Amino acid sequence: RFANLEAYASGEELVTQYHHDPSLSTDLRLQLGAGKAKMDLSNMTLQNLSVRSAFSDVFVTYRLPNKTDMKKMDIHATRANVFLENVEKAKAELVSVQNDMGETRLILGDGNVHKSTIYLQSGVGNCILVIDEKQPVMIVLKMGLFSKLDNQGNFEKLQNEKEVYVNKAYHENPQKVTKIICSLDLGDITLVKN
């Protein structure tokens, strides 16, 4: 353990590789301490992913889609930043991120349109949602008294709905909509069209 701490303090990079059997659906559980964890989960057969981080920034990216439909991706960070890139390629039914203190950034690309629910819960920190214009989304915001919205993507607020926003692709493909529920106590929510 001390060698790991010394390597982290000296700036050395520690790399761990996980090799899975592509013919088997897999559950992956990770417990992280401090530092950064950069995970490219492309082309895997993950059925469930669970990440618990104390002080380690979590980066999850996809270049290629998951080979099977994922049931749940669950990330909980105590005091760290969480970045999810091209998470639509996870083909997850549910993505749940709880970030107690730190920035949360979600990037939905123009990959496969997959109906899913993404729940982002942030205590203190900013939440940035970057959505490709081809991804049909409905964004439900639950903001605290000290939170504010910066709608840079000109997302349309639904009439008769409190803090519910959609993009143009939502109207074109409502049966494949990704529902994003973003709950923030203290910080800013930024919506960006990519």
Side-chain angles (χ1 to χ4, degrees):
R1 289 185 179 251
F2 290 108
N4 289 353
L5 291 174
E6 289 172 2
Y8 171 69
S10 69
E12 275 185 48
E13 186 172 312
L14 301 173
V15 177
T16 301
Q17 292 187 350
Y18 168 71
H19 298 281
H20 68 290
D21 183 345
S23 66
L24 296 174
S25 291
T26 307
D27 288 354
L28 181 60
R29 293 184 182 99
L30 300 170
Q31 300 253 355
L32 307 172
K36 282 188 221 176
K38 294 183 178 181
M39 295 172 273
D40 183 354
L41 302 178
S42 298
N43 214 22
M44 295 183 73
T45 51
L46 289 178
Q47 196 166 25
N48 292 290
L49 172 67
S50 175
V51 178
R52 298 289 175 264
S53 170
F55 305 106
S56 176
D57 292 340
V58 178
F59 297 83
V60 175
T61 187
Y62 283 86
R63 291 174 292 105
L64 299 168
N66 198 36
K67 288 185 176 181
T68 185
D69 288 350
M70 185 183 288
K71 290 181 183 174
K72 186 175 182 182
M73 177 186 295
D74 182 36
I75 299 172
H76 183 190
T78 303
R79 187 173 180 162
N81 297 318
V82 177
F83 299 98
L84 304 175
E85 183 177 18
N86 297 325
V87 75
E88 77 281 357
K89 292 181 181 179
K91 299 195 287 186
E93 190 176 314
L94 175 65
V95 175
S96 175
V97 176
Q98 181 180 342
N99 192 353
D100 298 336
M101 184 180 289
E103 181 176 305
T104 303
R105 183 181 299 248
L106 169 73
I107 300 173
L108 286 182
D110 65 352
N112 299 340
V113 176
H114 183 81
K115 185 175 181 176
S116 62
T117 301
I118 300 173
Y119 183 66
L120 305 174
Q121 182 181 1
S122 184
V124 177
N126 296 326
C127 192
I128 300 165
L129 308 177
V130 180
I131 312 294
D132 189 275
E133 61 185 6
K134 295 175 188 166
Q135 281 293 333
V137 294
M138 172 189 283
I139 303 168
V140 179
L141 302 179
K142 299 177 180 182
M143 298 186 293
L145 291 174
F146 302 104
S147 301
K148 67 178 184 177
L149 172 65
D150 182 7
N151 187 356
Q152 296 178 6
N154 296 322
F155 288 83
E156 169 193 348
K157 186 173 183 179
L158 285 182
Q159 290 182 342
N160 303 323
E161 296 289 339
K162 188 176 183 181
E163 300 304 324
V164 177
Y165 296 82
V166 297
N167 61 357
K168 185 178 176 185
Y170 167 84
H171 296 293
E172 297 168 357
N173 199 357
Q175 67 276 12
K176 291 282 192 173
V177 68
T178 294
K179 185 174 185 180
I180 302 171
I181 303 165
C182 187
S183 174
L184 178 66
D185 295 332
L186 178 61
D188 297 339
I189 297 174
T190 304
L191 304 181
V192 180
K193 180 174 75 174
N194 195 6

